[in-house]
Amino acid sequence: MTKSGQTMANQGQSADRGLEGLTAAAKTAANAEGAKKGLPPVHLWNPPFCGDLDMRIAKDGTWFYLGTPIGRPALVRLFSTILKREGDKHFLVTPVEKVGIRVEDAPFMAVEMQKDGEDNHRVLRFRTNVDEWVTCDAAHRLRFEQAADGGLTPYLHVRADLWAKVTRALYYDLVDIGEERMVDGQPMFGVESAGEFFAMADAAQVRAAL
């Protein structure tokens, strides 16, 4: 069989195996050597690409397979542990295969926030839609992007170039605890967590919008 023929065969096998085969592979990967806190070491794996699955993560964080929402939270959580991003594309990865999926925005949603301490001693922790808690700090930063409606959309770094979109309700909570600070000689409005200041926008623009 030619190389191109083998590639097409691999893609067909991935498309045909369905959730059952992928679930078994994900469970095996979760128990792989080097896994920590239920997270397999996907950054160490570089298996052959086996084609794209008809699987997507919608803008609201819902996972779909063959156009139908995956209604089992435990299964979504399992798949999220083998998620990997390379460039602008996302894959589910095991030690022996890599399959592509579509992500409409960010692969995770930050749906809950806990605030410990105040001002310079404040630490913000976020829970994602797959029940993973992430402490906002220098290694897990907040960034703010301009939204289509003219507002801002916050994103939290979860791990390895994977981000969580922060819900609108939590965005308003962040604004409520925000403050002005000088950043590189420019007055900026933002929020502090774990000793880091995360700038949202120019302070003058924020004052004008309030």
Side-chain angles (χ1 to χ4, degrees), residues 130-197:
V130 293
D131 287 329
E132 182 175 352
W133 283 95
V134 181
T135 298
C136 179
D137 55 20
H140 304 90
R141 306 183 66 83
L142 281 168
R143 62 178 172 88
F144 298 84
E145 292 191 358
Q146 199 72 34
D149 61 3
L152 294 173
T153 300
Y155 293 87
L156 174 71
H157 179 227
V158 178
R159 63 177 183 273
D161 209 21
L162 299 176
W163 294 76
K165 182 166 67 174
V166 179
T167 64
R168 201 66 175 171
L170 293 186
Y171 166 62
Y172 292 134
D173 290 341
L174 290 172
V175 171
D176 285 342
I177 63 175
E179 59 184 293
E180 289 188 23
R181 289 192 186 180
M182 297 297 293
V183 178
D184 297 328
Q186 182 78 14
M188 300 294 292
F189 183 84
V191 63
E192 175 165 317
S193 178
E196 294 288 325
F197 183 72

Side-chain angles (χ1 to χ4, degrees), residues 13 78 98 108 150 152 172 201:
Q13 290 169 5
L78 178 64
K98 177 172 69 175
F108 302 114
L152 294 173
Y172 292 134

Side-chain angles (χ1 to χ4, degrees), residues 64-126:
F64 288 82
Y65 179 67
L66 298 178
T68 301
I70 300 176
R72 295 163 56 191
L75 190 57
V76 170
R77 161 65 181 166
L78 178 64
F79 289 156
S80 75
T81 65
I82 59 170
L83 187 62
K84 184 178 183 181
R85 179 175 176 178
E86 297 178 1
D88 294 329
K89 296 184 178 180
H90 292 80
F91 304 90
L92 298 181
V93 182
T94 74
V96 297
E97 65 180 340
K98 177 172 69 175
V99 293
I101 67 171
R102 289 183 294 131
V103 178
E104 293 182 349
D105 192 342
F108 302 114
M109 292 287 294
V111 297
E112 181 181 347
M113 181 177 72
Q114 290 184 350
K115 179 171 69 73
D116 298 320
E118 295 292 342
D119 301 325
N120 295 339
H121 302 288
R122 179 191 300 127
V123 176
L124 302 177
R125 298 179 67 241
F126 293 85

Side-chain angles (χ1 to χ4, degrees), residues 12-96:
Q13 290 169 5
S14 292
D16 293 341
R17 70 181 301 178
L19 285 185
E20 183 177 348
L22 186 59
T23 300
K27 288 181 178 178
T28 299
N31 295 322
E33 183 178 356
K36 296 180 179 179
K37 297 182 180 180
L39 296 175
V42 295
H43 61 289
L44 300 178
W45 300 338
N46 189 30
F49 177 62
C50 299
D52 292 323
L53 283 180
D54 187 3
M55 182 179 287
R56 68 181 174 92
I57 305 175
K59 291 182 179 180
D60 65 357
T62 302
W63 288 57
F64 288 82
Y65 179 67
L66 298 178
T68 301
I70 300 176
R72 295 163 56 191
L75 190 57
V76 170
R77 161 65 181 166
L78 178 64
F79 289 156
S80 75
T81 65
I82 59 170
L83 187 62
K84 184 178 183 181
R85 179 175 176 178
E86 297 178 1
D88 294 329
K89 296 184 178 180
H90 292 80
F91 304 90
L92 298 181
V93 182
T94 74
V96 297

